[in-house]
Structure formats: C-alpha cells, structure tokens
Amino acid sequence: MKEALVKMIFDEGCIRFGHFVLTSGRESDYYIDIKKLITNPKALKLIAGLMKEEADKMGIAFDKVAGPELGAVPIATALALESNKPLLIVRKKKKEHGTGKQIEGEVVPGDRILLVEDVTTTGGSVLRAAKVLEDAGAHVKGIFVVVDREEGAKDALAGKGYTLIPLVSVSELFKYREGL
C-alpha cells in the first residue's frame, strides 16, 4: 500500500520542482502539494488505511482523531471514518465570534488523540495543534504525517515528547523519482 501511495503522489503531480517558499519560511527547490492528493477519494482511503494499519501495528490506542486546519482536515476525517473514532478539528487560532472555540468537536480530559498532518517540515504547525489539544486536557499519543520533508520535524516533536510517524519520507520520494 505504501508503494501505491508513493506512485500516486507522482501520478497526481503532488511533487513539483522549482523555487518555493514554504509555510515555515524556508526556501526549497521542490514543493509537496498533498492538498492536491487529498481531494482524490481513492488517495484519502489509502492514506487512512495506511495510518490505521500503522497505528494498530504500533499498538497506539486512541479515542479521537484530530487534524489542524486546513490540509489535515480531510485526512483526519478519512481516518475518523476508517477507525470509527470521533473527529476533532484544531483551528489555527480561536474564533473571534460565536463560542470562540479553537477546537471543533468535544475534548474530554484524558482523551487519547491521534493527530494527523499532510506535510511536515519543521513541525511548527502540528506542534501548535498538539499544544492546543494538550491544553484542553487531551493526550496526543502519536502524530501521523503523509510526507515528512526530513527537515527537523521529527527531532523537534521528539524534543517535546511526541512521536512523528511519516507514511512517506521525502528521501523515499527522491529514490522513487530516480527509478522513473
């Protein structure tokens, strides 16, 4: 299934080469556009299946699935459906109207959360989401990402006590590209 995901990333044109500025502010000569992939229902089903399978293999018990807006929301939704677990959506910042919530969905203190993300570079955005969830009383048991750019996210998250579990690393994508 992992090989199918790597192939799909290339088939869907989700990796592009050129000059790009990333969310982290870093410049890169390639860009991974997983949002293009996650609009494909076959890809979402594959990603959710891989995440559930890996969580089961690793013995990660979780009560709810969470994803920071925007790119992770379809992934978290697909995994919630695949695992039959409730969904949480973590906003980038608190709503300035209505209830002023930063988390959509109910967090009960002690909830074990599986947090998902589309792409990680430095890990900053997923780390912010983990902090919001922990501040609400939840416990982040693992953080899954579709593609890790291998630019510090794993170490940054480990330094805060979190485990990053990538489905695919950028080095695996480059290796696949060499074989094309």
Side-chain angles (χ1 to χ4, degrees):
M1 284 188 355
K2 181 176 181 168
E3 293 77 20
L5 177 60
V6 170
K7 183 178 182 327
M8 201 176 279
I9 288 170
F10 280 90
D11 290 350
E12 296 284 328
C14 297
I15 185 165
R16 295 183 294 179
F17 299 89
H19 180 264
F20 303 94
V21 177
L22 307 176
T23 304
S24 64
R26 293 182 183 192
E27 293 186 16
S28 177
D29 57 357
Y30 68 94
Y31 182 72
I32 299 170
D33 186 4
I34 294 300
K35 288 167 191 69
K36 188 172 184 181
L37 186 65
I38 60 176
T39 58
N40 175 333
K42 287 181 184 174
L44 273 176
K45 189 168 182 59
L46 178 62
I47 289 165
L50 282 166
M51 287 180 174
K52 170 116 176 31
E53 181 181 291
E54 195 61 28
D56 290 346
K57 236 190 279 183
M58 295 176 74
I60 300 172
F62 60 100
D63 304 306
K64 295 178 181 166
V65 177
E69 66 170 326
L70 175 74
V73 172
I75 298 165
T77 302
L79 182 54
L81 290 167
E82 179 76 19
S83 61
N84 200 32
K85 303 284 184 178
L87 171 69
L88 301 171
I89 299 170
V90 183
R91 294 177 178 276
K92 290 178 184 165
K93 57 184 180 180
K94 284 185 179 184
K95 286 176 25 175
E96 293 183 13
H97 58 281
T99 59
K101 291 194 287 186
Q102 192 165 2
I103 301 171
E104 295 299 333
E106 184 181 356
V107 177
V108 176
D111 275 346
R112 299 168 300 172
I113 307 296
L114 194 57
L115 183 57
V116 302
E117 182 62 293
D118 58 351
V119 178
T120 51
T121 302
T122 62
S125 61
V126 77
L127 194 53
R128 283 188 293 279
K131 183 173 179 358
V132 168
L133 291 162
E134 297 269 352
D135 288 350
H139 302 292
V140 175
K141 294 299 183 180
I143 300 173
F144 275 92
V145 63
V146 179
V147 178
D148 179 22
R149 291 179 54 98
E150 299 176 296
E151 294 184 28
K154 200 168 216 170
D155 290 340
L157 291 166
K160 298 290 184 180
Y162 300 112
T163 302
L164 180 66
I165 306 140
L167 295 182
V168 179
S169 66
V170 78
S171 57
E172 290 172 311
L173 292 178
F174 285 167
K175 187 174 181 179
Y176 179 86
R177 181 180 181 224
E178 288 172 10
L180 291 179

